[in-house]
């Protein structure tokens, strides 16, 4: 039964399409996670992100910032590598749902007004990867074939 679950997690469509989604989306998520965790790429870092999350009612702020930043950074890395893509896609989908409903929904759709357009796009890609798996060029596919 355990092998069956692992095979279902690692199984994937034999297409190159997920690769086209995984690589740029992984880079985007890693960059946003690095902003939250480390203050890289013009980000505020963990402490300021925690304060911002707490001010929005996402408590405890430090834990929420750590979860969001870690989920985005390591989830993005997983997408980029094609390793455990389905579990990463679940984490990233949840992060984008929280971003949409806790931060952006009141601003409407468009990014120009700090709306949910970008988060919705990332959510859509994450759900697509959850359904399809990592694709032909991935560590998941290699592992699935070995099992």
């Amino acid at each position: 039964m355990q092998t069956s679950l692992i095979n279902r997690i690692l199984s994937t469509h034999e297409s190159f399409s997920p690769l086209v989604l995984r690589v740029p989306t992984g880079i985007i998520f890693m960059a946003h996670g690095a902003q939250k965790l480390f203050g890289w790429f013009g980000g505020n870092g963990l402490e300021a992100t925690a304060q911002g999350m707490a001010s929005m009612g996402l408590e405890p702020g430090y834990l929420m910032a750590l979860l969001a930043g870690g989920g985005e950074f390591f989830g993005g890395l997983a997408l980029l590598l094609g390793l455990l893509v389905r579990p990463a896609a679940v984490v990233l989908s949840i992060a984008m749902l929280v971003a949409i409903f806790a931060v952006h929904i009141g601003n409407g759709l468009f990014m120009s007004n700090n709306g949910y357009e970008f988060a919705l796009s990332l959510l859509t890609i994450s759900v697509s990867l959850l359904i399809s798996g990592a694709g032909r060029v991935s560590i998941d596919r290699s592992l699935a074939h070995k099992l």
Side-chain angles (χ1 to χ4, degrees):
M1 181 162 172
Q2 186 178 9
T3 304
S4 175
L5 176 62
I6 292 170
N7 282 336
R8 288 195 346 235
I9 290 171
L10 297 177
S11 70
T12 183
H13 291 179
E14 293 293 317
S15 171
F16 289 102
S17 297
L19 177 67
V20 174
L21 293 175
R22 277 189 9 244
V23 171
T25 306
I27 292 168
I28 290 166
F29 273 121
M30 285 180 67
H32 281 271
Q35 286 180 315
K36 289 175 181 69
L37 293 175
F38 314 120
W40 297 351
F41 311 114
N44 296 321
L46 192 55
E47 291 297 326
T49 301
Q51 290 172 359
M53 289 193 167
S55 73
M56 290 184 286
L58 296 171
E59 292 281 355
Y62 190 83
L63 177 62
M64 292 301 176
L66 198 56
L67 288 172
E72 289 178 4
F73 184 79
F74 292 107
L77 180 61
L79 294 187
L80 190 62
L81 297 174
L83 175 63
L84 299 173
V85 165
R86 282 195 167 101
V90 169
V91 169
L92 294 169
S93 295
I94 292 168
M96 290 303 95
L97 285 169
V98 171
I100 289 168
F101 290 108
V103 179
H104 300 289
I105 196 76
N107 300 320
L109 174 66
F110 297 105
M111 276 179 33
S112 59
N113 298 325
N114 196 30
Y116 59 89
E117 176 179 25
F118 185 61
L120 181 61
S121 298
L122 292 174
L123 170 63
T124 304
I125 294 168
S126 297
V127 171
S128 176
L129 291 170
L130 175 62
I131 294 166
S132 71
R136 178 175 286 218
V137 182
S138 66
I139 296 172
D140 282 358
R141 181 175 180 261
S142 298
L143 292 172
H145 285 296
K146 289 181 181 177
L147 296 175

